[in-house]
């Protein structure tokens, strides 16, 4: 009965070890799909490569279906799953900063380490930026403490806000995601670049 | 293009299935039948009336008496400081914070031990700690604390001490007044310590 750590079926140390193995697998898949190319990530913004959208929404759909089916079979207790609490202004502010960094740097935090591991210097610069940001945030924390903690909403779920069951919400998100994939592939053709061939397999 | 069709062919049917089936809201039991049986055999869930009276006289803030009888019976008579959670409402969400916690010693009581024991068994199987049962219930409570019987003059000292303590508790808690019997200082009855609870929160993560 999951979650394995919360129910003390495996120890936190074993959990870390499993996370390490999964992390290696995650990095391997990212790298082998070209996610260590900053052009692939920036392409999301310009529309010539929407792989990022497709990968992350496919992951979300897989995760949603997996959790709901495992809950249905009694393999996992969904009430013990950690749900990131919502601080509305932090989420919006953080989203804007992350998005700008994404376009400017061409990496997200995960893929920057992926790219650094194959020796890309711009990824190293990006990681330097991450640490600079962490330092700035923590050292000047009193300045944005109020903003950081403002508009705390608990852990609302889209399904409960809209008054739908989790299953119906999942079906809706699947349909929306497939629609977005279709728009994404249309955009890839519309905004295709002659010098960019990564997504033309 | 083809990949998207395959993806759609897999995830849309799965999505329809998950949208159609009801949500699984059953709460799993955390203890196996064997684990529960061994706890029942040892009787670790019981607190003697003396131990409970001790906490009540000392006005120990960690004691929480929980009356699991009906609210009608609760209004007629209840122990001082007790709250009423009728057995049939035991699993309602408003009481979860009271029953599943690690700062208080909850003591269930009913007229005998039976209903209180049922409440304890359910909460224990849900993995809740720090819940106990008043041994013998209110009937035994009335017998021992409210109207203690004076032991024979030849009784051992401990017996006398217990009688004295019960008398004092009875007076403090509003029972019948009884005459004093000479005996040495009473020893404190064994009181269980509050067990800290492991916070069941999973690890945070992110991209």
């Amino acid at each position: 009965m999951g979650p394995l750590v919360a129910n003390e079926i495996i120890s936190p140390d074993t959990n870390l070890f499993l996370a390490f193995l999964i992390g290696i697998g995650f990095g391997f898949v990212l790298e082998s799909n070209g996610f260590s190319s900053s052009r692939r990530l920036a392409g999301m913004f310009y529309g010539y490569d929407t792989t990022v959208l497709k990968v992350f929404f496919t992951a979300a759909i897989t995760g949603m279906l997996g959790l709901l089916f495992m809950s249905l079979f009694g393999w996992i207790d969904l009430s013990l799953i950690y749900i990131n609490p919502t601080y509305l202004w932090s989420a919006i502010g953080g989203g804007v900063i992350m998005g700008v960094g994404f376009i400017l740097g061409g990496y997200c935090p995960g893929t920057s380490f992926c790219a650094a591991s194959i020796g890309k210097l711009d990824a190293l610069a990006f990681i330097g930026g991450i640490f600079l940001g962490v330092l700035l945030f923590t050292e000047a924390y009193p300045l944005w403490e109020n903003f950081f903690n403002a508009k705390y909403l608990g852990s609302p779920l889209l399904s409960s806000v809209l008054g739908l069951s989790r299953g119906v919400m999942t079906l809706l998100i699947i349909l929306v995601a497939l629609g977005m994939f279709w728009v994404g592939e249309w955009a890839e053709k519309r905004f295709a670049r002659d010098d960019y061939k990564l997504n033309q397999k | 293009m083809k990949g998207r069709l395959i993806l759609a062919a897999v995830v849309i049917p799965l999505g329809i299935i998950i949208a159609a089936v009801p949500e699984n809201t059953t709460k799993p039991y955390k203890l196996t039948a064997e684990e529960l049986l061994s706890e029942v055999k040892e009787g670790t869930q019981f607190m003697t009336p003396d131990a409970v009276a001790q906490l009540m006289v000392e006005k120990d803030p960690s004691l929480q008496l929980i009356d699991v009888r009906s609210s009608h019976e609760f209004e007629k008579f209840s122990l001082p400081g007790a709250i009423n959670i009728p057995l049939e409402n035991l699993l309602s969400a408003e009481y979860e914070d009271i029953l599943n916690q690690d700062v208080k010693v909850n003591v269930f009581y009913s007229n005998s031990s039976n209903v209180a024991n049922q409440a304890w068994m359910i909460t224990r199987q849900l993995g809740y700690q720090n819940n106990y049962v008043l041994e013998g219930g209110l009937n035994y409570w009335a017998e021992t604390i409210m109207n203690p019987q004076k032991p024979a003059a030849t009784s051992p000292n401990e017996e006398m001490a217990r009688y004295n303590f019960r008398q004092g508790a009875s007076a403090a808690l509003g029972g019948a007044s009884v005459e004093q019997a000479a005996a040495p200082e009473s020893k404190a009855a064994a009181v269980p310590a509050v067990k800290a609870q492991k916070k069941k929160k999973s690890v945070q993560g992110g991209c």
Side-chain angles (χ1 to χ4, degrees):
Chain A
M1 184 71 194
L4 297 177
V5 192
N7 283 326
E8 291 169 17
I9 294 166
I10 60 170
S11 72
D13 294 338
T14 315
N15 188 40
L16 267 184
F17 179 67
L18 290 179
F20 177 68
L21 295 183
I22 294 169
I24 289 176
F26 181 58
F28 178 78
V29 171
L30 278 184
E31 160 55 25
S32 53
N33 284 292
F35 270 72
S36 49
S37 158
S38 54
R39 296 205 64 192
R40 165 147 271 178
L41 279 90
M44 184 66 234
F45 180 69
Y46 299 105
Y48 61 79
D49 189 338
T50 56
T51 311
V52 176
L53 174 97
K54 287 185 273 183
V55 162
F56 281 100
F57 261 93
T58 310
I61 290 171
T62 311
M64 279 193 304
L65 282 173
L67 280 176
L68 286 181
F69 271 102
M70 275 158 69
S71 164
L72 182 69
F73 301 151
W75 294 348
I76 197 164
D77 184 355
L78 285 185
S79 64
L80 293 180
I81 298 287
Y82 178 80
I83 299 169
N84 212 19
T86 303
Y87 294 86
L88 194 60
W89 291 118
S90 294
I92 293 173
V96 168
I97 294 171
M98 168 107 179
V100 170
F102 212 124
I103 305 160
L104 281 180
Y107 293 112
C108 95
T111 59
S112 69
F113 283 91
C114 212
S117 71
I118 59 166
K120 292 205 169 171
L121 292 178
D122 58 340
L124 276 183
F126 190 93
I127 291 170
I130 292 179
F131 282 112
L132 216 61
V134 170
L135 194 74
L136 198 69
F137 175 81
T138 45
E139 285 301 320
Y141 181 70
L143 284 181
W144 25 72
E145 190 175 1
N146 285 335
F147 176 78
F148 185 63
N149 291 321
K151 270 274 180 197
Y152 174 65
L153 301 180
S155 299
L157 294 177
L158 205 51
S159 52
S160 47
V161 170
L162 297 178
L164 298 169
S165 80
R166 281 173 166 155
V168 173
M169 192 70 232
T170 302
L171 181 61
L172 280 181
I173 291 176
I174 287 172
L175 295 177
V176 168
L178 289 173
M180 286 200 302
F181 295 171
W182 183 75
V183 172
E185 284 184 9
W186 168 83
E188 281 175 10
K189 289 195 193 88
R190 171 76 178 70
F191 301 105
R193 298 194 172 188
D194 300 335
D195 61 340
Y196 185 76
K197 295 281 174 240
L198 207 56
N199 60 340
Q200 316 280 300
K201 276 177 193 164
Chain B
M1 184 63 206
K2 196 158 171 273
R4 199 174 66 228
L5 281 180
I6 296 170
L7 181 74
V10 174
V11 294
I12 291 181
L14 285 176
I16 290 172
I17 293 170
I18 208 69
V21 296
E23 266 172 57
N24 182 2
T25 51
T26 48
K27 281 207 169 172
Y29 279 160
K30 301 281 162 48
L31 262 69
T32 64
E34 286 80 17
E35 284 169 326
L36 194 67
L37 181 64
S38 87
E39 285 200 20
V40 170
K41 267 196 296 193
E42 283 166 25
T44 47
Q45 81 271 34
F46 286 116
M47 260 173 95
T48 62
D50 295 296
V52 174
Q54 172 102 19
L55 290 178
M56 283 167 76
V57 170
E58 288 169 356
K59 296 203 169 20
D60 192 315
S62 70
L63 176 72
Q64 177 66 70
L65 288 164
I66 297 175
D67 194 321
V68 291
R69 301 172 306 159
S70 67
S71 54
H72 178 67
E73 281 175 289
F74 177 76
E75 274 159 30
K76 264 205 230 157
F77 174 77
S78 66
L79 294 179
I83 56 168
N84 184 216
I85 302 180
L87 186 69
E88 57 266 30
N89 300 344
L90 192 72
L91 295 179
S92 90
E94 58 182 309
Y95 298 128
E96 197 183 330
D97 290 342
I98 299 174
L99 299 172
N100 186 19
Q101 45 78 42
D102 58 0
V103 286
K104 291 203 166 199
V105 173
N106 286 334
V107 180
F108 294 124
Y109 73 83
S110 53
N111 284 331
S112 68
S113 307
N114 279 350
V115 185
N117 238 338
Q118 287 164 4
W120 172 80
M121 220 173 251
I122 293 167
T123 54
R124 190 71 197 101
Q125 273 179 310
L126 289 172
Y128 301 173
Q129 287 182 322
N130 304 315
N131 294 320
Y132 295 89
V133 172
L134 174 63
E135 194 176 4
L138 284 178
N139 295 334
Y140 189 52
W141 173 269
E143 219 171 278
T144 52
I145 304 295
M146 294 294 108
N147 306 298
Q149 296 304 310
K150 191 174 179 182
T154 51
S155 305
N157 273 349
E158 296 89 71
E159 195 92 341
M160 281 299 186
R162 200 180 303 140
Y163 174 64
N164 266 0
F165 167 75
R166 286 174 178 176
Q167 260 186 331
S170 174
L173 301 171
S177 61
V178 249
E179 54 175 299
Q180 199 77 16
E185 270 297 287
S186 65
K187 256 189 287 169
V191 168
V194 179
K195 289 189 195 92
Q197 189 178 42
K198 287 211 179 94
K199 281 280 165 277
K200 288 219 168 176
K201 272 285 175 192
S202 50
V203 199
Q204 306 186 29
C207 162

